């Protein structure tokens, strides 16, 4: 192979990706990520005032960025992105504005994912998703690695996740470890067979479900409600999540038409507030631990709620299993000193120590 002379000219192809980048309009090159993020937030909030509250900025700063984007894109594509309407009315996004906002959201998400992947690969950060109920145990585990993480300047990101979308966030790599629960056959020594093949799992706790109710004793006098009785009991049911998984396995995908549902909630605290306020009378299907915490006053349940057991005739009999999930095979890519493996091992050590998981 002959050597290339130092005077050999470098040719830039006349077409293709590189040529397209070199011919980008200057106004497009001057658009910043910050401006694009502001556009997306304005679309979600509906106004500069609403976006300013979300972003923690002055309204004038948000409006200035929108005006800058409007001028730039009107010159580049002939249409404003955002049009002001009457006072108090939400901004109107033009077709160009809708398209640019969608592209901006995808672009920023891709970049953030790329940055997170890079930080994860070199061991500078690890993200863990938790519910408010798994945080106490996570706090115990964190004490095992806190000093080591601090010495190595490793960043731990703790993200609040809802049970209904927790696994989606793990799959999307928004979190590296997930602390949550799922429905498993009661009495099983090992929940591994119930864990989807895509995940590794460390079990913390198994517990049954109970009914938390504000119904007077005369309306629900029995100590336990069986599978044939539950459809007649007024229920406050979540819109998604692990409790829905239980109900679906017991009553089928059409369980909402087979049960007496008085309210649908997105948050357990809202359900507790409904029972406490007595706006709604009925029962919530909850884990035994959450139910006891509400009755004891450690959660905002109130003095007028009580627990009723679920009968032994549900088929299959299920328990709530809580633990830590990781994407299968991902930890194998890293050595034992990587923060993902350090944190996983800390969970394993805490479990092996016999530490209890309690609300």
């Amino acid at each position: 192979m002959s050597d290339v002379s130092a005077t050999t000219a470098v040719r830039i192809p006349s077409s293709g990706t590189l040529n397209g980048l070199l011919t980008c309009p200057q106004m497009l090159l001057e658009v910043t990520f910050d401006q694009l993020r502001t556009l997306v937030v304005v679309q979600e909030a509906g106004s500069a005032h609403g976006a300013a509250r979300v972003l923690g900025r002055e309204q004038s700063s948000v409006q200035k960025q929108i005006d800058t984007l409007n001028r730039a894109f009107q010159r580049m594509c002939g249409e404003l992105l955002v049009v002001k309407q009457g006072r108090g009315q939400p901004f109107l996004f033009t077709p160009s504005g809708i398209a640019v906002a969608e592209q901006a959201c995808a672009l920023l998400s891709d970049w953030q994912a790329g940055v997170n992947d890079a930080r994860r690969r070199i061991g500078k950060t690890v993200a863990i998703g938790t519910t408010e109920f798994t945080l106490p145990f996570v706090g115990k585990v964190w004490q095992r690695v806190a000093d080591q993480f601090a010495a190595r300047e490793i960043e731990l990101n703790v993200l609040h996740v809802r049970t209904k979308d927790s696994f989606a966030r793990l799959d999307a790599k928004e979190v590296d470890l997930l602390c949550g629960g799922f429905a498993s056959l009661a009495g099983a020594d090992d929940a591994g067979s119930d864990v989807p093949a895509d995940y590794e799992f460390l079990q913390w706790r198994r517990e049954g479900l109970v009914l938390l109710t504000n119904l007077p004793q005369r309306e629900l006098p029995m100590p336990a409600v069986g599978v044939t009785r539950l459809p007649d009991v007024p229920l406050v049911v979540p819109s998604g999540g692990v409790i829905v998984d239980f109900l679906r396995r017991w009553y089928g995908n059409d369980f909402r038409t087979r049960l007496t549902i008085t309210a649908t909630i997105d948050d357990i605290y809202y359900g507790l507030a409904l029972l406490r306020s007595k706006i709604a009378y009925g029962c919530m299907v909850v884990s035994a631990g959450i139910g006891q915490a509400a009755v004891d006053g450690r959660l905002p349940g109130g003095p007028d709620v009580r627990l009723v057991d679920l009968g032994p005739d549900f088929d299959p009999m299920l328990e709530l299993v809580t633990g830590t999930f990781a994407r299968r095979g991902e930890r194998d890519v890293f050595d034992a000193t990587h923060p993902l493996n350090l944190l996983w091992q800390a969970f394993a050590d805490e479990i092996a120590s016999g530490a209890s998981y309690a609300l």
Side-chain angles (χ1 to χ4, degrees), residues 98-140:
I98 293 172
V100 171
E102 289 178 353
Q103 288 180 309
C105 189
L107 174 68
L108 293 170
S109 296
D110 287 346
W111 267 86
Q112 185 63 55
V115 170
N116 289 341
D117 283 345
R119 289 181 61 84
R120 185 182 301 111
R121 176 175 48 80
I122 63 177
K124 296 303 292 182
T125 189
V126 62
I128 182 169
T130 76
T131 68
E132 56 269 47
F133 302 115
T134 57
L135 266 177
F137 193 79
V138 173
K140 292 181 180 180

Side-chain angles (χ1 to χ4, degrees), residues 19-62:
N19 188 59
L21 292 175
L22 294 175
T23 57
C24 278
Q26 184 63 32
M27 297 193 78
L28 181 59
L29 297 177
E30 292 172 356
V31 172
T32 68
F33 279 5
D34 188 37
Q35 291 170 341
L36 293 176
R37 184 184 68 160
T38 297
L39 180 70
V40 173
V41 175
V42 165
Q43 186 183 42
E44 289 293 321
S47 67
H49 178 68
R53 289 202 309 270
V54 174
L55 294 168
R57 292 180 174 177
E58 295 293 329
Q59 181 176 340
S60 59
S61 172
V62 171

Side-chain angles (χ1 to χ4, degrees), residues 205 207-213 220 223-225 230 233 235-236 243 246-247 250 268 275 282-295 306-311 314 317-320:
R205 176 174 176 167
E207 58 184 326
L209 299 185
V210 295
L211 295 178
L212 180 68
T213 184
L220 194 64
V225 172
L230 188 62
V233 174
L235 294 175
V236 176
I243 297 300
F246 279 82
L247 297 177
W250 286 333
I268 189 172
L275 297 185
C283 303
M284 291 175 59
V285 181
V286 298
S287 71
I290 288 176
Q292 193 61 55
V295 170
R306 59 191 175 94
L307 299 181
V308 176
D309 289 334
L310 291 177
F314 285 85
M317 285 301 297
L318 299 171
E319 291 177 319
L320 176 64

